[in-house]
Structure formats: C-alpha cells, structure tokens
Amino acid sequence: MTSSTASVPTVSTTPRMPLRALLVLSAAVLVTVTAESLPAGLLPEMADDLRVSPEQIGSLISVWALTVIVTSLPLARLLAARDRRLVLGIALAVFAVANLATSFAPDYGLVIATRVVAAVAHGVFWSVVVVYATSLLSPTYLGRGLAIVTAGGTLATALTLPAATLLAQAVGWRPAFVLLSLVAAVLAVVIIRSLPARATSAETVRQANRGGFWRDPSTPAILVFSLAAVLIAMAQFASFTYVRPYLSIAASIEPEWAAGLLLIYGAAGLLGVVLAGYLADRFPRSSLSIVLVVFTAAFVLLTVAAGSLPAVIVGFIVWGLMFGAVFPLLNAILMRTSTERTRPLASAGVVVFFNIGIATGPWLGAVSGGATSPAHTTAVSASAMLVAAVLGTVGVLLARRLSRR
C-alpha cells in the first residue's frame, strides 16, 4: 500500500515548465470543449437546415454528455497501459473525422451518430489529458501547468463559441464543423510527432484492475471530490442555462447590455484561470474550499440583490472568476491526492461526474423556474454550491490526513 498520496509521483524532473507542450494541449482542450457546446451557438442555423426543432438540436448537447458519462471510465481502464501521447493523438484524430462527418451529414439522424462518435473521442481525450499534463510537470509547476491546459476550456466559452456563431450567421453552420475538424487533425499530428511519450507501468495497471483502486488510501478523497464536481456543474449550468431570463426578468437589464455583461463574465473567467494557477501552487489544498465558498456567495448576491445593477455586475464578475478557477483547482488537488494507480481513473471519473452535472443542471434550472423566476434558480445554485463547498472541505481534510501518513 502506498504510504503517502500527497505527492505527485509520476511527474517530470525537469525544473522548467514545458510551455510549448502545455499550449498544444490547451489548444486541443479548446477544440474539444468548443465542439461539445457548438450546437447551442449554431442552434437556429442547424435547426433550419436539418428541418428539426430547436429543442432537437439542443438535445445534441445532452446526447454528448450522456455518451461521455457511459463510455469514459470503461475506455480509460481499457487504455490505461497505452502511451498517453498516442491515446490523445488518436482520440483527436477520431474526433476530427467525426466532426467532418457531422459537417456533411444530410439529416438529423446522421448528425446524432457522428456526434456520438465525437463524444466518445472527447471522453477518451479528457480522461487522459490532465494525467498526461501532470506527467510533464514538476510539483512546483503543477497548479500553473494544469491551469494553462484547462484554460482552453474557458477560452472556448469566452471566444471560440461566439466566433463560431458569427461564422454560422455569415456562411452557415457546416463550415464551423469543418474548421473545427481541420484544427483537431493538425493538433493530433503535432501531439503524436512532437510531444514526449508517457505510459503507465503494466504492474500499476494490473493492480488497478485487480481492485487496487478501491483499496488505495486516496480513493475516499477522490470520491468526495467527484461528488463535489457533480454539484459544482449542476449549480453552474442550472443558472447559466437561464442566464438570459435572469438578466431580463430578475435584473431588468436591456438585451443590448446583456451581451456586454456576458462578455465581462467571460473575461473574468479567463482571469479566474490565472488566479487558479497562482492559488494551486501556493495554497494547494485550502484554495479549493475558499473558491467554492466565494462561488456560493456570488450566487447568493445574484439572488438577493437582483434589482441592483452594481450588485449584479459584481456578482457576474465574481461568478466568472470562480468558475474559471474551480476546474483547474479541482484537477490540481486530484492529481496531488491520487496515486499512480488511482490517477487515470480519478481523471476519467471527475470528467464523468462533471458531465452528470452538466446533463442534470439545465433540468434543475427548468424545474426551479429558470425561465420565469430565474432568481429562484440562482438560490438553488447557491444551495448546491454550498453543499459542494462542504464536500470539497471534507476532501481537503482527507487529502491532508493522507499527506501526514
């Protein structure tokens, strides 16, 4: 049994941060996250061209999340002994082909099929990318390095999705998928040809397959953090799905000003990623609990002060900052807490749990009145985030106890 799980045992001994490799991985993250939510930005164009309802196009995001939930853990276990660089590159190559096929799909049924294939590749990619990035980093740079990698997801929300929406309005939705496919294909080649090989030892894989994951002392903390990930995603997407009704109904903000506030939110998210890199290396455990508490406070402010424009602006800035920071911090503490044999399944597991939250968050927003009483939804998000903060703190305490063994 491993005597300590607080360290990161399989990391690079190179003292310098491998910035080029991290930027390549961040670009790949950007591409995959863009594809995940792309139908939301292209909804009217796709619905008109494929002759289906907007709700059917919106369901493509749910199908994607469900596919990731079902396939990520089994495939992560199956591919655990493979060179992670090759797994990433091949996953991106399959992702590229699937998105190209989506762009040429003549009907809605084929779009669903190609999206399922792309989602499988997405799940494999995400189950490996954080573990692979960790193997390239020394402990000194772990937080900052993972923040760089996961920044691609924040950039996708802040920049790439709006850009894809403008492209679809100008020339149609299909070129957006073609462009996404081409970028993914180039990144697949770059990763396979230029990034260093990394693989888990066969003995470690055998231990995990024999049940070593469940016997590992890091498992309780990993499970607690994974449950927190569900609640974080649920709270986020319950409110963000209905952000436009919140701005118009609860905050009485005119539509032309709403876009500017969402832009501020996106910019705050990018700053949150930078903040996460700073916090994760200097306060590797307590920072997650603090961010979750402040995240809760942001939803509380948006609930109780919806009628005050300054309060809403502050609430959106804090909301964006915390959402940008929370995923890098969660990944960093998972990688520090897990051992060599639990790390691959921990990484895949948090993706699965986060996608459960993504899939159920909009439903939670709907049943709590997001379309008609959106301040009720932000109150529900505050409650869910408060429970996530409690679970995150429990996970931190478990991780701290392990480090003292």
Side-chain angles (χ1 to χ4, degrees):
M1 181 177 290
T2 303
S3 61
S4 174
T5 59
S7 63
V8 183
T10 306
V11 293
S12 170
T13 57
T14 304
R16 297 176 62 184
M17 186 183 296
L19 186 58
R20 178 178 176 274
L22 297 177
L23 290 175
V24 169
L25 295 175
S26 184
V29 166
L30 182 149
V31 168
T32 60
V33 173
T34 299
E36 181 178 24
S37 304
L38 195 55
L42 311 182
L43 192 146
E45 292 81 12
M46 291 184 72
D48 289 345
D49 185 31
L50 297 170
R51 298 181 181 179
V52 296
S53 69
E55 289 78 12
Q56 286 176 284
I57 299 301
S59 70
L60 293 174
I61 297 175
S62 298
V63 169
W64 182 289
L66 181 61
T67 302
V68 171
I69 291 166
V70 171
T71 62
S72 292
L73 280 172
L75 289 174
R77 191 167 184 172
L78 180 66
L79 300 170
R82 307 298 178 187
D83 179 355
R84 293 168 188 152
R85 174 198 58 180
L86 291 178
V87 173
L88 286 173
I90 293 171
L92 277 175
V94 173
F95 176 90
V97 172
N99 278 281
L100 187 63
T102 298
S103 71
F104 288 103
D107 56 52
Y108 181 71
L110 283 176
V111 168
I112 291 179
T114 57
R115 288 282 293 178
V116 167
V117 175
V120 171
H122 172 95
V124 171
F125 173 86
W126 269 98
S127 69
V128 175
V129 66
V130 172
V131 180
Y132 178 73
T134 299
S135 73
L136 302 178
L137 293 162
S138 67
T140 303
Y141 294 114
L142 181 64
R144 279 164 286 180
L146 293 183
I148 290 172
V149 172
T150 56
T154 306
L155 279 170
T157 302
L159 299 177
T160 313
L161 279 174
T165 301
L166 292 175
L167 178 63
Q169 291 172 347
V171 297
W173 67 273
R174 297 179 187 272
F177 279 95
V178 172
L179 181 60
L180 202 66
S181 173
L182 292 175
V183 175
V186 170
L187 289 170
V189 172
V190 171
I191 287 173
I192 292 174
R193 296 195 61 176
S194 66
L195 269 58
R198 291 288 189 274
T200 305
S201 69
E203 178 58 29
T204 298
V205 174
R206 281 194 294 270
Q207 287 180 359
N209 289 338
R210 287 199 302 263
F213 179 89
W214 299 109
R215 293 195 300 267
D216 194 278
S218 66
T219 297
I222 291 170
L223 292 176
V224 170
F225 286 132
S226 297
L227 290 174
V230 176
L231 290 167
I232 292 166
M234 284 182 67
Q236 167 67 19
F237 288 94
S239 288
F240 193 75
T241 301
Y242 294 96
V243 66
R244 293 299 297 273
Y246 174 87
L247 292 173
S248 61
I249 297 173
S252 301
I253 293 175
E254 297 297 328
E256 58 267 24
W257 293 104
L261 193 52
L262 289 174
L263 184 62
I264 291 172
Y265 169 90
L270 294 178
L271 290 176
V273 174
V274 176
L275 177 66
Y278 172 83
L279 292 175
D281 288 330
R282 288 162 178 79
F283 311 99
R285 296 187 184 91
S286 59
S287 56
L288 178 64
S289 297
I290 293 170
V291 163
L292 290 174
V293 169
V294 177
F295 212 152
T296 303
F299 282 128
V300 170
L301 179 63
L302 290 171
T303 300
V304 301
S308 168
L309 181 59
V312 169
I313 293 173
V314 170
F316 264 74
I317 291 173
V318 176
W319 182 7
L321 276 169
M322 295 305 102
F323 186 63
V326 72
F327 197 63
L329 287 174
L330 183 60
N331 273 294
I333 197 168
L334 271 173
M335 293 300 101
R336 291 185 189 278
T337 302
S338 58
T339 63
E340 178 67 18
R341 65 181 171 183
T342 61
R343 189 167 294 119
L345 289 181
S347 181
V350 77
V351 172
V352 168
F353 280 101
F354 206 79
N355 273 274
I356 291 172
I358 291 173
T360 56
W363 167 84
L364 179 63
V367 299
S368 60
T372 56
S373 303
H376 292 168
T377 301
T378 54
V380 170
S381 290
S383 301
M385 196 63 73
L386 180 60
V387 178
V390 172
L391 288 172
T393 302
V394 171
V396 167
L397 293 174
L398 289 171
R400 185 171 292 156
R401 188 174 68 178
L402 288 170
S403 69
R404 292 171 181 170
R405 288 189 173 193

